[in-house]
Structures are given as C-alpha cells and as structure tokens.
Amino acid sequence: MSFSPADWLAMALHFMALSLMAVGGAVSTAPEMHRYIVQQRHWLSGEQFNASIALAQAAPGPNLLFVTLVGWQIGWQAGQQSGLQASAWAAAWPWLLAGLGALTALLSMLLPSAVLTYSATRWLARNQARRSVRAFRSGLAPIVIALLFATAWVLSRAHPEVHQPWRLWLLTVAATVVAWRTRWRLIGLIAVGAVLGALGWV
Amino acid sequence: MNTSSPSPTTRLGPRSPAQLFWVCTGVSLQGFGGVVAIVQRELVERRGWLTPAEFAEDWAVAQTLPGANVVNLSMMLGGRYFGLRGAAAAVAGMLAVPALLLVALAVLYGGVSSSPAVQGALRGVGAVAAGLIAATALKMLPTLRHNPLGPWLAGVLAVLAWVAVALLHVPLIGVLATLGLASCGLAFWRLGRAGAVPAQARGVASQTAPAAPHPHAAPPAAESREWP
C-alpha cells in the first residue's frame, strides 16, 4: 500500500463526511467506514479494523475514539513504506505518521459535527416545540436504532478465519441479553469476553 | 434558571473550564463500554450540575445530532456554563487523556498481537462489544412505541434501514438521504395530522433516549436553558 498526500486528504475528507452523518454516535458509522477503508481502499485489513473497535470498546472513554486507532494504524502502515535509509529518523518516521494519522482521524471526525452541534443545540433549545424540530427528532429515531443493530451485526460477523464462529455468536447473544436485561457492570462483561477468548474458548 | 425546583441560588455548576476539563476526564476514564451511565451518575446524581430533567432532554438532543453523543452532551454542558471555552474544555476532557491511553494500549497490543491468547482475548472482547451495542439498540427500541410515526411504520423503516446497511452495504449517506428523509417527512406529516400538539406535551423529547431515562422528567421548559 502506498499512501500519497492525496490519500491523506481522502482519509480526512472521508472522516469529515462521516462526522456529519454520525447520527446515533460515531460507532454507527462503522459499517460505512469499513466499506470505504477496508473494502474499497484496502488501507486496513478487516482484522485490523475490528481490532481498533474492540480495543476502543475495551478501553475507557467514548467509543468515538476508535477512529483514533483507525487513523493510527493507517498512518503507521504509511510510515512503514517510506523507503528511508536505516537511521534514527527512519525509525521515528512510522511513529510520526501514526501520530499524524490518529490526530487527523480524530479531529476530522470531531470538528464538523462539533461545529454543527454547537450551533444547532442553541437553535434547537429555542425551538423545541416546532413541528419540524420534533419531526427531525422522531423521524431519525428508527434509523438511529437500525444503525446500531447494523453495527452490532457487522462486528459480530467479523471473523471469517474462525473455525467455529457459532461460539462467538453465542457470546455476542449472551452479552446482548445480559447487558439488555441486567444491570451488571459492562466492564465485567468485557472482562469475561477477554478471558474466554484468551483461554481459546471462543 | 427560573424553573428548577431547587432555588436558583443553590444551583451547582463547574467553577471553571479547568474544573470542567478534569471532571470530564474522570468521567471518561470510568466509562468502559459506554460513558453515558457514568455521566448520569457523576454529573446529575453526585454533582448536581444537571437536573434529571435537563439530562434527559439534553441526552435526546445529543443523541439525534451528528457526532458522538457523549461529546455532544459535554459540549452542550460546557457551552451552557462557559460558552465556547467551556464546550472546548469539556470535549477535550472527554477525549484527550483517554485517546492517549488508547494509543498506548494499541502500541502495547501491537507488540503482542501475534500471541494467540491476545488475539483470542480481542476476539472475545469484540464479540461482547457487538452484544453491548445490540443491547443499547434493544433498550432504545421501546421508545419507538411513542414515536409519532407509530410503532408499525417506525418498525418498518428501522428494518429497511437495517437491511440496507447490514445486508446490502448501502453507503450511509444513501440511507440517510432516502429512508432518513422519508422518515422525517412522514413524522412531519403525522405530527401535523395529529393536530397542534401543545408544547408542554413533551414526551417526544426524551423518546430517543436509551433505557428510558427519567420517564417522570416532566416538561423541561425551554426557558430553563441558559446560554451565556
């Protein structure tokens, strides 16, 4: 994979467009991001993409931060193909590009929606009773929910190399039911998934 | 601040953007698999910076506008107290330290990613994460019952959107431009047909919030919003 300045721009623009489409949270854009970054541009493998989401889910903080890791990995790979002579500079290069990728992805994903939301919330707060405002809110509700289900679907089907995917599906279904029906700590569920995986059960 | 039952003088709030930054950092660092629950506990129950009604209202808005909902929520909160500086402080608090931590974790992971145990652990976490997202969606599902679209229409639209994105891999913009627009248009029409709904009948405002936060959160009047 060679990564030109045009590719950097394309990446930034893609995240900026996603930012404005991210109703229902950044993670609801994951299917679209996957389609573009993995399937269309081949910047990352499906495994790398899923690892980004899984790590971000496992770590504290908003799920939006998974784009930081997507950018980090794209930048890191770009840095690997610099063709520089072996030197301290060449060793630092992938780290620099990875940092740049992370920052580019996060800020591109953040700023457009932040500007829009900051101004829109002021306006919405003053016009809550308007029919158009209420139609906007309630009209998007079913779409937002469907996007969350689609994200769960894409994530749960992300392991083509696994021999027994049914065990992973079972774990997903079990996690769904427990998180839905109980008030167990979510971090506990994540830990159970990590242990089951580390022991090779899923 | 003319509506909340505690007298305006007892109104609590962050003292400075810096305090807001650190409180948001703390909230974010506690938020494994979803920061919303922590926001509710920390900012509403412990600190009283938002009333439950305000939280429910803000959350519904934060959820439907583009962007990470927690980021949107912290931006609204920061903006209310300190304007643009406050919004920036709150968002930076939510993101800066957790982002550094996450990158550090990813680097560590890069060093061990070939280990089968680590691969397996990530696979397990990924499967659980998919479940947590599905559960969030399931918790939001009952809110469609009170949607002006009606449960059936809302359900059909949701299924169509799911099929388009999950099975047919339609780009998101295409789904929003067709189904999203149609859905908003239908909602607009239904709201009009239902007649003029008094501004106080505000069940709608909280309907997009997951897990029905504070169903008793009675009309949070628009006037309670205070922007600098």
Side-chain angles (χ1 to χ4, degrees), chain B residues 119-216:
Chain B
Q119 289 278 358
L122 242 326
R123 213 163 42 228
V125 168
V128 170
L132 297 190
I133 293 173
T136 306
L138 282 170
K139 286 178 181 174
M140 293 171 72
L141 210 50
T143 63
L144 291 184
R145 217 177 292 146
H146 310 292
N147 196 295
L149 291 167
W152 287 107
L153 196 51
V156 168
L157 284 161
V159 169
L160 285 176
W162 183 83
V163 169
V165 174
L167 300 185
L168 305 178
H169 304 290
V170 175
L172 182 56
I173 183 75
V175 175
L176 290 179
T178 54
L179 286 171
L181 211 57
S183 186
C184 290
L186 284 168
F188 189 76
W189 173 65
R190 284 287 183 110
L191 283 167
R193 223 182 40 161
V197 183
Q200 292 299 341
R202 307 266 344 252
V204 190
S206 57
Q207 70 175 306
T208 48
H214 314 294
H216 56 280

Side-chain angles (χ1 to χ4, degrees), chain B residues 45-82:
Chain B
E45 292 172 9
R46 276 199 54 209
R47 294 184 185 265
W49 288 0
L50 289 166
T51 65
E54 284 172 326
F55 177 73
E57 179 74 0
D58 285 357
W59 180 245
V61 174
Q63 182 99 359
T64 32
L65 286 171
N69 34 39
V70 170
V71 171
N72 288 350
L73 188 71
S74 50
M75 201 158 52
M76 290 161 74
L77 181 76
R80 191 172 304 149
Y81 286 110
F82 304 112

